[in-house]
Amino acid sequence: MRRRFAVLASVVATVGSTALAVTALPAPSAQAETGIVDVADRSVAELGELLADGEVTSRGLVDAYLRRIEAQDPDLGAILTLNPRARAEAVRLDAERARGELRGPLHGVPVVVKDNMDTHDLPTTSGSLALRGMRPPDDATQIARLREAGALVLAKTNLHEYAMSIYTESSLGGQTRNPYDPARHPGGSSGGSAVAVAASLAPAALGTDTCGSVRIPAAHTNLVGVRPTLGLSSRDGVAPLAGTQDTVGPLTTSVEDAALLLDATVGHDPADPVTEAALGRVPDSYLDGLDRPALTGARVGVVTDYFDTGGRAPDTNALVRRAIDDMAAQGAEPVELGPLPDVMAAAAGANRVRHEFERDLDAYLAESARGRPLRLAHLAEPRDRLTLADLAASGEVIPSVLSTLRAWVDSPALPNPEYDETLRQRDRLRALLTGLMAEHDLDALVYPSISEPPTPIGVEQSYRNCRLAAYSGFPAVSVPAGFTADGLPVGVELLGLPFSEPDLLALAHDYEQATGHRTPPGH
């Protein structure tokens, strides 16, 4: 059933934005209202307990979240497409539970997923009007594994079109807004997923991260976001930006919930050969060890290069410095690092997106689009299949992204000397980070997830802090670090060596439990 992976990972395709064409669902019946609870800021773990105790049904949860989406999403723009079969799927999962056929802790829990992950029963659009009719032949591996674990895909979420930037604006879904201040952007490109979870339109979500696209929206919406080690989880059926950088990771209200989603989705997938690296590297559960005092005796390297001075960076710096102090209060030993000119130079030269995008997107479209929509496939050579050239020729893309698509049509064939140099810098970055952590006996690096709080819509901001993890393939976790004086969320990031997720999550959980910075919007 699964298709062969061809070095890809970051897509989206959809049917319409909430304001335009979210699939209409019938009003819930009086019977369906039975068992509905207040789902505001409920974690996956909490919902699992309520379901297990019979205090709520999956059908009740679906209705509760649909009510919140109807009431709040018109002002937020997080949701692109609702699953019209969500209630029927919830009833089926409730029946399985009643028969004692439990699939795991996600059984019957609604989740949302970024609309660059293939779903056989819903459009996958990358947020683009150009792909509004695209329906893949099967699920991405990540989606299939979620469903096998009993999770229910409630909706597909908006993203920055083709995952091209950090502001979450698309031609199909418009501008997604930050629930902590709707005049500000939510980060991106997985901003729709983050906003849906932050505003309790769903308890958890999947996003993709090529350079910060999970961690930045997590920081901007007061969530936990995990970028896993490259190779830990499959990218099969995920629209790509760059196959050597793309990853899929959870966005949740707690580290515990992130561990639950990782448990359900990671591991070797023959459809994505890079995941061979995960063989023998996946623990029985990422929940194991979360409650240990992981910060006691831990050494964390403070990357001072990533504490900027411009704009509102001082606000972020103050909160992240406080977070480091809080880690020290829990027994950690901070180690000041910097400046690190060799590390920063390698990171600056290791971005492969521009080189790989056309190759990887065309390979993805060949499998997931199968030449559709037909109205596009004839716009450019070859006339019998859909390619980046067709999308660029369509013009059905927001202007800022369209200019990039057009510039990257007919990219130089790979390999070539310039691309080879980016790979060399990637390998150099990996070696430098590994050596740095060994030299100082570090358990993790720590720095701001992004240098400033969310800027107003239309105001750009630097996102260079994403590079260390993204360009090396090392894992990183963003955790809430508190709020600025005017109520804007800030995140602190922990980076570790490949496949160190158990330790990173334990460190993040220890900090999270000691500080309790997760606060829903409006509180």
Side-chain angles (χ1 to χ4, degrees):
M1 181 183 82
R2 297 304 309 148
R3 51 195 169 282
R4 185 174 60 86
F5 182 81
V7 206
L8 9 128
S10 158
V11 194
V12 192
T14 261
V15 82
S17 73
T18 304
L20 293 173
V22 165
T23 307
L25 295 174
S29 66
Q31 182 180 4
E33 294 179 15
T34 303
I36 292 179
V37 297
D38 181 5
V39 294
D41 216 43
R42 295 273 194 174
S43 69
V44 171
E46 287 178 292
L47 295 178
E49 291 176 2
L50 291 171
L51 286 164
D53 292 342
E55 295 183 31
V56 68
T57 63
S58 181
R59 172 65 186 269
L61 292 180
V62 166
D63 284 338
Y65 284 115
L66 289 176
R67 280 185 170 83
R68 291 187 66 88
I69 290 170
E70 182 180 14
Q72 297 188 29
D73 195 62
D75 295 326
L76 297 175
I79 305 299
L80 280 180
T81 309
L82 289 173
N83 180 357
R85 291 162 295 282
R87 290 194 180 106
E89 291 177 15
V91 169
R92 176 178 55 80
L93 289 164
D94 285 334
E96 288 184 5
R97 181 180 292 275
R99 296 192 299 268
E101 300 171 2
L102 292 181
R103 304 184 185 204
L106 299 183
H107 190 109
V109 176
V111 298
V112 295
V113 297
K114 187 176 180 180
D115 198 26
N116 60 351
M117 301 181 197
D118 284 358
T119 44
H120 77 277
D121 52 351
L122 296 168
T124 301
T125 66
S126 291
S128 184
L129 281 169
L131 292 178
R132 61 187 177 272
M134 195 184 101
R135 189 170 298 232
D138 59 2
D139 287 340
T141 295
Q142 295 276 319
I143 304 303
R145 288 179 175 175
L146 274 180
R147 287 173 161 160
E148 289 164 4
L152 186 157
V153 176
L154 182 65
K156 307 289 288 290
T157 56
N158 197 24
L159 66 157
H160 203 97
E161 197 155 348
Y162 296 103
M164 282 275 184
S165 194
I166 69 166
Y167 306 107
T168 306
E169 180 187 9
S170 71
S171 60
L172 193 58
Q175 175 67 60
T176 300
R177 296 178 177 273
N178 195 313
Y180 290 91
D181 181 351
R184 296 176 185 270
H185 66 82
S189 60
S190 306
S193 290
V195 168
V197 176
S200 297
L201 310 184
L206 285 183
T208 62
D209 189 309
T210 305
C211 191
S213 288
V214 162
R215 295 162 288 147
I216 291 169
H220 279 354
T221 61
N222 198 226
L223 296 177
V224 173
V226 180
R227 177 192 165 91
T229 303
L230 183 69
L232 180 62
S233 55
S234 175
R235 292 89 42 80
D236 174 60
V238 180
L241 268 181
T244 66
Q245 291 178 204
D246 295 331
T247 58
V248 176
L251 285 150
T252 59
T253 61
S254 71
V255 174
E256 180 183 19
D257 282 1
L260 286 169
L261 263 67
L262 288 175
D263 279 350
T265 56
V266 303
H268 178 238
D269 174 19
D272 184 357
V274 75
T275 62
E276 290 181 8
L279 291 170
R281 308 298 296 272
V282 178
D284 291 338
S285 174
Y286 287 100
L287 295 172
D288 296 342
L290 284 191
D291 291 327
R292 60 188 167 94
L295 286 168
T296 301
R299 289 171 58 84
V300 293
V302 182
V303 182
T304 57
D305 291 86
Y306 277 173
F307 289 76
D308 287 345
T309 57
R312 295 194 58 182
D315 293 343
T316 293
N317 296 345
L319 287 169
V320 174
R321 283 291 180 183
R322 187 182 306 164
I324 294 166
D325 289 343
D326 289 336
M327 292 178 192
Q330 293 301 113
E333 182 180 352
V335 179
E336 293 285 319
L337 303 172
L340 302 170
D342 291 343
V343 171
M344 295 299 139
N351 185 3
R352 283 90 69 194
V353 172
R354 177 173 60 86
H355 302 280
E356 296 177 0
F357 179 70
E358 182 175 38
R359 177 198 67 183
D360 294 349
L361 183 69
D362 283 356
Y364 164 81
L365 291 172
E367 293 287 352
S368 291
R370 305 288 175 93
R372 293 180 174 82
L374 295 174
R375 61 185 173 79
L376 294 184
H378 70 283
L379 295 180
E381 295 291 348
R383 304 289 177 177
D384 59 344
R385 62 186 177 92
L386 189 64
T387 65
L388 171 62
D390 296 309
L391 302 180
S394 76
E396 297 179 327
V397 181
I398 59 171
S400 60
V401 172
L402 181 60
S403 63
T404 301
L405 297 187
R406 288 174 171 168
W408 289 356
V409 171
D410 294 329
S411 291
L414 302 179
N416 61 62
E418 185 179 356
Y419 176 62
D420 290 345
E421 177 60 19
T422 67
L423 295 178
R424 190 183 75 81
Q425 292 300 328
R426 174 200 62 188
D427 294 342
R428 180 168 173 258
L429 177 61
R430 289 173 174 172
L432 287 168
L433 288 174
T434 301
L436 180 70
M437 296 185 73
E439 177 186 356
H440 296 280
D441 191 25
L442 300 175
D443 296 279
L445 301 180
V446 62
Y447 47 87
S449 303
I450 184 168
S451 59
E452 293 185 77
T455 54
I457 289 170
V459 177
E460 295 184 356
Q461 67 182 117
S462 169
Y463 54 99
R464 71 186 181 100
N465 292 18
C466 70
R467 293 174 177 172
L468 290 186
Y471 299 168
S472 67
F474 289 13
V477 180
S478 180
V479 189
F483 294 86
T484 63
D486 52 347
L488 299 177
V490 167
V492 59
E493 187 162 319
L494 292 162
L495 178 147
L497 294 172
F499 299 101
S500 65
E501 281 85 354
D503 292 331
L504 279 182
L505 291 171
L507 293 169
H509 185 264
D510 199 1
Y511 167 75
E512 171 195 65
Q513 296 302 300
T515 56
H517 288 308
R518 169 62 199 168
T519 304
H523 287 67

